[in-house]
């Protein structure tokens, strides 16, 4: 079968996530893109660890083939990092929304420019 | 949602089981899927569920902010402390073999405490974050 | 238990524990003393480790007593001990400064969190430096990054929030790239231990996943170290973060990223892979030159002093990456020495700028941005601060007698070795750009009349001046006595390139 | 004290003096007292070194070694000895003069002025005693930076822009040309020490030698070789004592001193045979072109500045001829020009202090009101033109002898032409001062001579200019030692 | 008899692979829709669905621990957090102001690089891949007497990573407190204006 099909879809997911992060101006949508980007990396690690016919790496006399546990451990950590980043990002987005009354990057930039030019005039 | 009787009844029935399940996940982690992190999240989810049904203030009485903030840091301290215990008992950092005269028991003991630390911090953090967001409110 | 054998673990664990303790105690003063004591202990540990490594070679420490590659290994060699020295030393000097400085910048009820975050950032940076495990690098990178985002967002200007958010996005993309790179390496070698990985890579050199890993790691780490076109997060982050944060980041964060890059290039991929199979050195040379000229040029036209020196940092990073592009012992030495020297000088400058922010503020009000029109004639009121900035600036220029000269010397040496005379010219020409931006400050501060109706200003508090001047003194010291810096860097470079004597 | 200790004391003394000046900043009398005492002490130190050097000793000290094989070290040899003597000796006179000038003109920031002055002298001495290129370069840069506040002393826009030119040219040339040259020397030879006979390997490629020489000559921007001379007139925005000591003695002499030192101790005269023609041409061009500009300059200080540009190139030219006699001439000219030009600047400052006149065209008849000043000016002018009984004659004599020995007809032509031009722009000043009637406007503003300290200083240097003609023994002995050690 | 068992087994294996592929395709669709949609509430719901699909795939890939965590975190915590944040912000994304050519170029070149690298990786479920042979066998020897190898590696062999991970969580928690703590005065609003 398609030996690398898993990889191709993984790549598609990753790139879609990355695209949302860079291309979208909405702070929350960016974060969702970021988390999709991060999540899809899980597949990159886990898919190769799978052995067809194997089972989850919980040792038991009934089974002899287990999927690789190491990627699982790593990805557990990565998931935690992902959610930690998301939480902080959202907290920042909320604060930005309060300070600028917007979560659109373009509007925020515009408001900063106005503030900058005012600063220049006062000086 | 506060006044939805059905939800309240179901919640009352369900929440203890959620918390129990969290404990199961915590202590069964050696033998099946699960462990401190999942347990912490599930436990926090139980409280969040409670907060959604019975209101944030009620939840805050069950799990007061002080307690939550203490959990936040004590989990990490327990974990790091297990590591230091390894040092004091003559091993390397995070060495569980020296925690018990029988090295394999030492591993069990180490893993138990470490998982406990993870669960406490994770539960504390999840709850704290939820509280922070929930109590922020829309400020216009 | 003998402490000496466990120093590598304590190096990271002490600051790491100090942070939750600070949060647990919730008292501002206790938190301060907790984190500061941890930082000082970390500095003492780093000195001890540096001496040990210098005397008896690389130290390997097995965490959990699991031997590598099964467990996580801490590995201290000449290079990592040097970077540990820089990072912990900076924290040790800057924390006392921060105590006075943040009183004016951060609401009091958040102080304990500030210290906790500072401790975490420190622990993260130290962890990245000391570990010998690829995935562990990522974990500690995230600890330091998350702490950094929060620290930046604590700045008083609302633009600090957007700066932190932007850094969070770019930093996370970078970190994810790094994870992808590590993933490729792991999938081809089956191990996560850096040394083991290097050994197993010798068999599969230049296979496609390895090259992809190299590319992803390079891009990811370059995002973190603000290599020229990927530097966009840096100027705003440095400008709007609280002053001690700016100083600490400028002195350590990008430097540790450089360290990671060097570590991967020389200790994992090996120079033959990095430098022979890909046009990487050429690309890096081009980007470095762009940074040296482009960013320094932009710096000249900045009106905010903090932003000016932020762009200068981007330019100076160009020198560091330029050294890497040479693939020679002297080039690498230049990079290592410059990351140290520039860290000290830039840290000192940002500390002093923090002092200016205090000095030009009306008492009780929020400090205004240190823009040039507010700095006119400042030297009269704040002579020590201004003179310190000038001395630090001389080091950025690379005037002999300052630390900056030493690194440029080795950079030029490396260019000469390869017969690239035009590059010598380029390096020197770019330092003239540094003259230009440093001199803008000199002219304004020393030779322009103070604005009419200006508020009464006086010198920054001693608690802020002393740490800053310690670093300025170090900048001069390391320009005159290089037995610590150059010897270590040369040794480290030889060790990395397998040309140990 | 052993000569080694004396070196360290001589280097440290101005620094201590600077600290003392800062501490005494509140009380002007005490502050100037500190300056004078420091200057006298320094000169005493330097004089102590003269005897050992004349008897062949070369005391040396090494401070630090920032880069392996590249220490910061000092070593006193004849050329440096002479430069140190001139710089420290004239500092005393200049300090006296400064007191009169700075007070007479109510200048601001006087403490800063005296501090920078002391530090500048320290840097000049360090340059004089430098034992290798790195040390020389280090203090060369220090000298640039420390004199910058002096140049921009007035703080006006004009002063700032002059200061910018000053800094850009001096820093630019030194970083872009001098530093690469030093690095290249180190790259080739593995050392930057000054050694008699040169350090470059025998048989080095002539092209490389020529390029290296060019880098050095243009890199030493303080020698004001065209086209990098613009900083010198720009620096004239500084108060006159600064122009006098720094831009007639310390800074520009640090430049030509470095030129001579590098030619003699890095290249060696033999090494350069056949590669200096272009340098002779450029130096010759600079001499003539600068003189022509000076001829048209109405501002007195500007005229003096271009005269300096021209005179500095005499020294470069003399060295470029590579004849031992002309090198002696170059060394003597360092001394002669120092005394002559400082006298001229003193006179210009004296005129400004007394009458606030800055242009040559305003000077009609002023010699009757300020006879001493203008007499001193006349002596300085004689020295510049190279007429007896002034010091400039001696140095030019050696220069011309050297050129004759090498059959350098071009040089002779240049010297002749420039002598005429020098006469052309100096004598009219003297003529106006003594033989033209006072203008109506000047008559309306009566004034006498400048304050006493100015007059004392002026007289000392004018007398020195004459004395060097009659008793050139010490500089001559040093110069001969320099050439003899080949 | 044996051949039959083998055939049956292979059939089961193929089905296993097929399920995984179908789930992956579903995920791809979800994400593609997600890119287009601008109503943020829908986007959040879709990202929750995405996480559930991910968790299912992970179960199929035998990563039960990871699946459980992803279900709890990705579909649970993240969604709650996003909804909470959305509650505090606007829920409609603005129309992009300019064509996203540069992001597209960056994404495409990243994709190319990823594909380039991934094509050189060992085949899917290749038992000879280095990751199955170098470090893992020792983990399987059950030195810690903990049957769930993931737990054993997580908490013991690589326990230090997990300490780091816990610290990351702690950092996020403390960071959110620092960011969202109510200030006594609203300072930052006054500043920029």
């Amino acid at each position: 079968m398609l030996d690398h099909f898993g990889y191709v879809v993984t790549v598609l997911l990753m790139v879609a996530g990355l695209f949302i992060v860079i291309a979208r101006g909405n702070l929350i949508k960016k974060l969702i893109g970021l988390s999709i980007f991060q999540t899809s990396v899980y597949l990159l690690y886990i898919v190769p660890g799978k052995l067809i016919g194997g089972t989850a790496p919980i040792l038991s006399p009934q089974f002899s083939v287990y999927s690789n546990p190491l990627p699982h451990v790593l990805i557990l950590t990565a998931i935690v990092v992902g959610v930690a980043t998301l939480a902080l990002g959202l907290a920042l987005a909320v604060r930005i929304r309060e300070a600028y009354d917007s979560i659109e990057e373009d509007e925020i930039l515009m408001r900063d420019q106005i503030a900058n030019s005012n600063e220049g005039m006062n000086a | 949602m506060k006044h939805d009787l059905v939800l309240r009844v179901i919640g009352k029935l369900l929440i203890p089981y959620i918390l129990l399940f969290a404990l199961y996940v915590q202590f069964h982690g050696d033998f099946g899927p699960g462990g401190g992190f999942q347990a912490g999240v599930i436990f926090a989810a139980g409280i969040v569920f409670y907060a959604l049904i019975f209101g944030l203030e009620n939840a805050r009485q069950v799990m007061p902010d002080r307690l939550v903030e203490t959990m936040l840091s004590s989990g990490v301290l327990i974990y790091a402390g297990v590591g230091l215990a390894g040092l004091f008992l003559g091993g390397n950092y995070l060495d569980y073999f020296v925690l018990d005269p029988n090295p394999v028991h030492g591993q069990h003991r180490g893993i138990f405490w470490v998982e406990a630390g993870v669960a406490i911090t994770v539960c504390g953090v999840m709850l704290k974050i939820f509280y922070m967001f929930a109590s922020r409110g829309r400020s216009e | 238990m003998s402490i000496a054998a466990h120093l590598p673990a304590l190096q990271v664990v002490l600051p790491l524990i100090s942070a939750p303790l600070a949060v647990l105690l919730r008292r501002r003063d206790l938190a301060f003393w907790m984190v500061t004591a941890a930082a000082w202990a970390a500095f003492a540990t780093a000195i001890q480790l540096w001496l040990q490594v210098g005397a008896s070679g690389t130290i390997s420490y097995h965490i959990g007593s699991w031997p590598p590659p099964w467990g996580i290994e801490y590995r201290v060699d000449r290079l990592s001990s040097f970077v540990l020295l820089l990072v912990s030393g900076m924290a040790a000097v800057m924390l006392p400064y921060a105590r006075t400085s943040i009183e004016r910048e951060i609401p009091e009820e958040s102080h304990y969190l500030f210290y906790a975050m500072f401790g975490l950032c420190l622990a993260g940076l130290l962890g990245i430096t000391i570990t010998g495990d690829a995935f562990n690098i990522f974990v500690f990178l995230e600890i330091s990054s998350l702490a950094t985002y929060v620290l930046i967002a604590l700045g008083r200007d609302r633009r600090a929030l957007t700066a932190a958010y932007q850094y969070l996005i770019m930093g996370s993309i970078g970190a994810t790239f790094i994870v992808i790179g590590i993933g490729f390496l792991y999938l081809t070698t089956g191990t996560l231990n850096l040394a083991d990985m290097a050994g197993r890579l010798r068999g599969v050199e230049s296979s496609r996943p390895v090259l992809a890993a190299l590319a992803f790691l390079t891009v990811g780490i370059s995002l973190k170290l603000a290599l020229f076109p990927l530097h966009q997060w840096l100027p705003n982050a440095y400008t709007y973060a609280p002053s001690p944060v700016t100083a600490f980041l400028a002195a350590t964060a990008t430097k540790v990223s450089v360290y990671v890059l060097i570590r991967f290039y020389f200790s994992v991929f090996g120079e033959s892979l990095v430098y022979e199979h890909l046009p990487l050195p050429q690309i890096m040379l081009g980007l470095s030159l762009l940074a040296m000229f482009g960013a320094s040029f932009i710096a000249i036209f900045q009106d905010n002093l903090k932003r000016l020196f932020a762009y200068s940092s981007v330019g100076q990073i160009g020198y560091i990456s330029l050294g890497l592009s040479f693939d020679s012992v002297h080039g690498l030495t230049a990079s290592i020495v410059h990351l140290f020297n520039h860290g000290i000088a830039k840290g000192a400058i940002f500390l002093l700028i923090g002092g200016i922010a205090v000095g030009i503020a009306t008492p009780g009000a929020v400090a205004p941005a240190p823009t040039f029109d507010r700095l006119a004639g400042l030297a009269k009121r704040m002579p020590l601060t201004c003179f310190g900035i000038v001395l630090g600036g001389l080091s950025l220029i690379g005037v002999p007698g300052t630390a900056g000269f030493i690194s440029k010397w080795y950079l030029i040496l490396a260019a000469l070795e390869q017969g690239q005379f035009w590059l010598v010219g380029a390096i020197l020409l770019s330092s003239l750009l540094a003259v230009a931006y440093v001199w803008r400050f000199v002219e304004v501060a020393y030779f322009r009349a103070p604005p009419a109706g200006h508020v009464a200003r006086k010198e920054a508090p001693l608690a802020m001046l002393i740490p800053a001047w310690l670093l300025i003194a170090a900048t001069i010291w390391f320009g005159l006595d290089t037995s610590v810096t150059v010897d270590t860097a040369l040794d480290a470079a030889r060790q990395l390139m397998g040309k140990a004597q | 004290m052993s000569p080694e200790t004396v070196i360290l004391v001589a280097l440290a003394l101005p620094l201590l003096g600077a600290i003392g000046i800062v501490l005494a900043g509140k009380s002007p009398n005490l502050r100037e007292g500190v300056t004078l005492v420091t200057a006298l002490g320094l000169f005493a130190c330097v004089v102590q070194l003269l005897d050992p050097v004349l008897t062949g000793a070369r005391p040396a000290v090494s401070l630090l070694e920032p880069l392996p094989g590249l220490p910061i070290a000092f070593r006193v040899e004849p050329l440096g000895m002479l430069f140190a003597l001139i710089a420290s000796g004239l500092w005393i006179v200049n300090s006296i003069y400064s007191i009169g000038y700075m007070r007479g003109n109510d200048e601001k920031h006087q403490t800063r002025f005296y501090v920078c002055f002391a530090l500048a002298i320290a840097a000049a001495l360090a340059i004089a005693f430098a034992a290798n290129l790195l040390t020389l370069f280090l203090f060369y840069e220090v000298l640039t930076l420390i004199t910058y506040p002096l140049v921009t002393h007035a703080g006006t826009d004009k002063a700032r822009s002059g200061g910018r030119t000053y800094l850009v040219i001096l820093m630019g040339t030194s970083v872009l040309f001098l530093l690469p040259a030093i690095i290249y020397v180190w790259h080739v030879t593995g050392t930057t020490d000054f050694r008699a006979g040169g350090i470059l390997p025998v048989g080095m490629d002539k092209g490389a030698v020529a390029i290296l020489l060019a880098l050095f000559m243009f890199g030493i921007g303080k020698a004001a070789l065209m086209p990098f001379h613009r900083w010198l007139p720009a620096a004239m925005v500084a108060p006159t004592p600064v122009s006098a000591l720094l831009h007639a003695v310390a800074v520009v002499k640090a430049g030509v001193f470095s030129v001579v030192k590098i030619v003699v101790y890095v290249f060696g005269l033999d090494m350069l045979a056949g590669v200096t023609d272009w340098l002779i041409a450029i130096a010759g061009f600079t001499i003539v072109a600068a003189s022509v500009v000076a001829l048209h300059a109405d501002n007195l200080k500007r005229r003096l500045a271009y005269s300096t540009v021209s005179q500095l190139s005499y020294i470069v030219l003399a060295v470029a001829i590579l004849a031992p006699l002309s090198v002696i001439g170059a060394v003597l000219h360092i001394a002669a020009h120092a005394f002559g030009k400082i006298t001229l600047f003193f006179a210009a400052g004296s005129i400004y202090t007394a009458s606030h006149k800055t242009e040559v065209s305003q000077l009609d008849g002023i010699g009757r009101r300020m006879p001493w000043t203008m007499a001193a000016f006349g002596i300085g002018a004689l020295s510049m033109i190279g007429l007896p009984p002034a010091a400039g004659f001696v140095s030019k004599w050696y220069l011309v002898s050297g050129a004759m020995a090498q059959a350098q007809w071009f040089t002779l032509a240049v010297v002749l032409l420039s002598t005429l031009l020098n006469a052309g722009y100096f004598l009219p000043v003297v003529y106006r001062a003594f033989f033209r009637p006072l203008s109506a406007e000047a008559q309306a503003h009566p004034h006498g001579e400048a304050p006493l300290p100015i007059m004392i200083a002026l007289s000392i240097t004018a007398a020195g200019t004459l004395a060097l003609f009659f008793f050139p023994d010490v500089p001559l002995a040093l110069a001969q030692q320099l050439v003899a050690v080949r | 008899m044996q051949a039959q068992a083998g055939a049956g087994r292979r059939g089961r294996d193929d089905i296993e692979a097929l399920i995984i592929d179908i789930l992956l395709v579903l995920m791809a669709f979800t994400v593609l829709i997600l890119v287009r949609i601008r109503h943020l509430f829908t986007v959040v719901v879709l990202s929750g669905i995405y996480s559930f699909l991910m968790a299912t795939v992970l179960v199929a890939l035998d990563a039960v621990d990871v699946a459980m965590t992803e279900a709890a975190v990705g579909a649970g915590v993240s969604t709650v957090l996003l909804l909470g944040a959305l509650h505090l912000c606007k829920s409609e994304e603005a129309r992009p102001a300019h064509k996203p050519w540069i992001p597209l170029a960056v994404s495409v070149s990243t994709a190319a690089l990823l594909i380039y690298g991934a094509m050189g990786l060992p085949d899917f479920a290749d038992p000879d891949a280095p990751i199955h042979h170098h470090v893992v066998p020792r983990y399987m020897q059950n030195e810690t007497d903990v049957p769930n190898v993931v737990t054993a590696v997580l908490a013991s062999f690589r326990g230090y990573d997990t300490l780091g991970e816990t610290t990351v969580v702690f950092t996020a928690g403390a960071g959110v407190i620092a960011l969202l703590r109510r200030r006594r005065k609203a300072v930052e609003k006054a500043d920029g204006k």
Side-chain angles (χ1 to χ4, degrees), chain B residues 29-30 32 34 79 96 107 136, chain E residues 65 69 148 151 155-156 159 180 182:
Chain B
D30 291 4
Y79 202 135
Y96 306 150
Q107 284 290 334
R136 191 80 178 166
Chain E
D65 282 271
T69 314
N148 184 350
T151 302
S156 186
L180 294 187
R182 288 239 169 256

Side-chain angles (χ1 to χ4, degrees), chain E residues 50-178:
Chain E
Y50 170 83
S51 288
F52 259 122
L53 287 171
M54 176 66 91
T56 323
V57 172
L58 290 171
V59 172
L61 289 169
D62 298 337
V64 277
D65 282 271
V66 186
M68 192 168 176
T69 314
E70 174 64 19
V73 169
V77 177
S78 297
T79 311
V80 170
L81 282 180
L82 281 166
L83 287 176
L86 215 53
H87 174 65
L88 300 175
C89 302
K90 251 195 310 215
S91 60
E92 184 78 16
E93 184 191 357
R95 200 171 279 281
H98 24 71
K99 289 277 177 223
W101 293 121
I102 297 174
L104 205 62
V106 172
S107 310
V108 168
S109 41
T110 310
L113 192 58
L114 276 166
I115 300 268
Y116 171 85
M119 288 305 151
L121 288 177
D123 286 348
F124 176 60
D126 176 5
D128 295 327
I131 52 167
H132 297 302
H133 293 280
H134 181 45
V135 176
V136 167
R138 179 163 175 184
Y139 293 152
M140 294 300 182
Q141 283 165 13
N142 201 9
E143 283 170 73
T144 56
D145 191 29
V146 172
N148 184 350
V149 185
V150 173
T151 302
V153 176
L154 182 95
S156 186
F157 286 93
R158 296 185 66 85
Y160 197 67
D161 260 356
T162 311
L163 173 59
E165 171 198 319
T166 313
T167 312
V168 167
V169 176
F170 167 75
T171 312
V176 170
I177 300 178

Side-chain angles (χ1 to χ4, degrees), chain C residues 50 78-79 81-82 336 482-493:
Chain C
W50 179 75
R78 288 295 263 175
L79 177 62
S81 69
F82 193 46
I336 298 171
T482 55
S483 53
V484 172
T485 49
V486 170
D487 290 1
T488 312
L490 259 175
D491 263 11

Side-chain angles (χ1 to χ4, degrees), chain D residues 294-313:
Chain D
L295 201 57
H296 290 98
D298 191 35
N299 182 295
L300 184 56
K301 276 179 79 178
R302 185 173 160 81
R303 188 173 284 197
L304 293 179
Y306 273 98
S307 156
T308 304
V309 174
S310 160
Q311 296 282 332
L312 291 175
S313 275

Side-chain angles (χ1 to χ4, degrees), chain B residues 106-123:
Chain B
Q107 284 290 334
H108 277 291
R109 183 170 284 180
I111 292 176
F112 173 83
W113 283 108
V114 157
E115 292 275 15
V118 174
I120 291 172
T121 288
V122 168
C123 180

Side-chain angles (χ1 to χ4, degrees), chain B residues 39-139:
Chain B
V41 172
I42 293 170
F43 195 91
I47 305 291
V48 170
F49 195 34
Y50 183 84
L52 290 177
I53 295 170
F54 298 100
L56 188 60
E57 287 318 309
N58 283 326
R60 274 194 153 151
Q61 272 167 4
V62 179
M63 293 289 281
D65 267 304
R66 270 323 264 250
L67 175 67
V68 171
E69 277 191 40
T70 311
M71 285 169 72
L72 206 72
S73 29
S74 43
V76 180
L77 289 175
I78 290 173
Y79 202 135
V82 172
L84 288 181
L87 276 190
F88 284 115
L89 294 173
N92 274 357
Y93 191 74
L94 279 180
D95 189 342
Y96 306 150
F97 291 112
V98 293
L99 295 180
D100 194 280
N102 178 344
V104 175
H105 286 179
Q107 284 290 334
H108 277 291
R109 183 170 284 180
I111 292 176
F112 173 83
W113 283 108
V114 157
E115 292 275 15
V118 174
I120 291 172
T121 288
V122 168
C123 180
V125 169
M126 293 302 159
L127 275 178
K128 187 70 201 175
I129 294 179
F130 174 74
Y131 284 175
M132 294 310 288
F133 273 94
S135 64
R136 191 80 178 166
R138 197 188 276 266
S139 60

Side-chain angles (χ1 to χ4, degrees), chain C residues 380 394 399-401 405-406 409-410 412-413 416 421 425 428-429 431-432 439 442-443 446-448 479-480 482, chain D residues 64 66-68 70 72 109 112 134 137-138 145 148-149 152 155 160 164 167 172 175-176 179-180 183-184 186-187:
Chain C
K380 199 130 195 167
L394 293 182
V399 172
F405 175 71
I406 306 295
W409 180 269
Y410 277 93
I412 288 171
L413 208 62
L416 278 178
F421 293 100
L428 296 172
L429 199 63
S431 38
L432 288 183
W439 231 257
V442 173
E443 275 193 2
Y446 283 85
F447 301 102
R448 204 180 277 175
L480 296 174
T482 55
Chain D
L64 295 156
L67 291 160
L70 286 170
I72 291 179
H109 308 301
R112 182 174 87 195
L134 184 76
F137 182 73
L138 171 61
L145 292 173
Y148 170 83
T152 47
R160 270 210 299 277
R164 215 174 282 157
L167 195 74
V175 169
L176 284 184
L179 187 57
I183 293 165
Y184 188 72
W186 188 71
H187 184 59

